[in-house]
Amino acid sequence: MSVIKIKRAYEKAEANDGYRILVDRLWPRGLTKERAAIDLWFKEIAPSPGLRKWFGHAPDRFLEFRTRYVEELAQNPAITNVSDLLTKHRMVTLVYSAKNVEINHAVILKEFMESIGKVSV
């Protein structure tokens, strides 16, 4: 069973992050590959471009964004790849670049993976 956590891309990478997966479609602005210390850039698991643009990180749209993103995740074949990664790595950190640490897609992705029983809390 893996443990999954989330972390902003701009926070310093640490050894206890384990396997670091960037879950954004766009590379974080101003961040070098060396500083990001990403093991895998997994664009396919991020919200669709249309959904991301619609949301625009507006707090009043977050609940609807959550619903729509979970619907996308449920239909996304890439979820199988995430599940496979979680079986291979004891600690996985989902890395994202949004400014708001509570209202972003990585929070939803982590909850989604926990809900389908692929990780330990």
Side-chain angles (χ1 to χ4, degrees):
M1 206 44 86
S2 294
V3 174
I4 189 169
K5 60 183 183 175
I6 61 173
K7 191 172 192 177
R8 282 196 77 226
Y10 303 101
E11 294 179 55
K12 185 178 178 177
E14 299 171 319
N16 67 355
D17 288 345
Y19 194 75
R20 290 172 50 92
I21 304 172
L22 178 61
V23 294
D24 287 348
R25 285 198 189 270
L26 304 173
W27 187 264
R29 287 185 183 157
L31 191 64
T32 64
K33 289 184 180 181
E34 294 77 27
R35 184 167 168 243
I38 298 298
D39 295 302
L40 174 67
W41 184 8
F42 201 15
K43 301 175 198 178
E44 300 82 5
I45 205 67
S48 65
L51 180 58
R52 181 180 59 82
K53 289 176 186 174
W54 171 83
F55 172 46
H57 299 281
D60 60 325
R61 292 186 176 179
F62 187 66
L63 291 177
E64 179 64 22
F65 173 73
R66 177 190 301 275
T67 300
R68 292 182 187 189
Y69 183 41
V70 167
E71 288 171 0
E72 284 187 359
L73 288 170
Q75 302 298 317
N76 190 336
I79 284 294
T80 302
N81 296 334
V82 171
S83 298
D84 292 344
L85 287 168
L86 292 173
T87 61
K88 293 177 186 173
H89 303 281
R90 193 178 89 62
M91 176 64 72
V92 172
T93 298
L94 302 179
V95 179
Y96 66 96
S97 59
K99 291 178 183 176
N100 191 317
V101 298
E102 296 174 357
I103 299 176
N104 66 69
H105 72 285
V107 170
I108 300 166
L109 179 57
K110 178 182 184 290
E111 291 170 357
F112 183 84
M113 295 307 298
E114 290 171 350
S115 75
I116 58 175
K118 300 297 183 189
V119 298
S120 60
V121 181

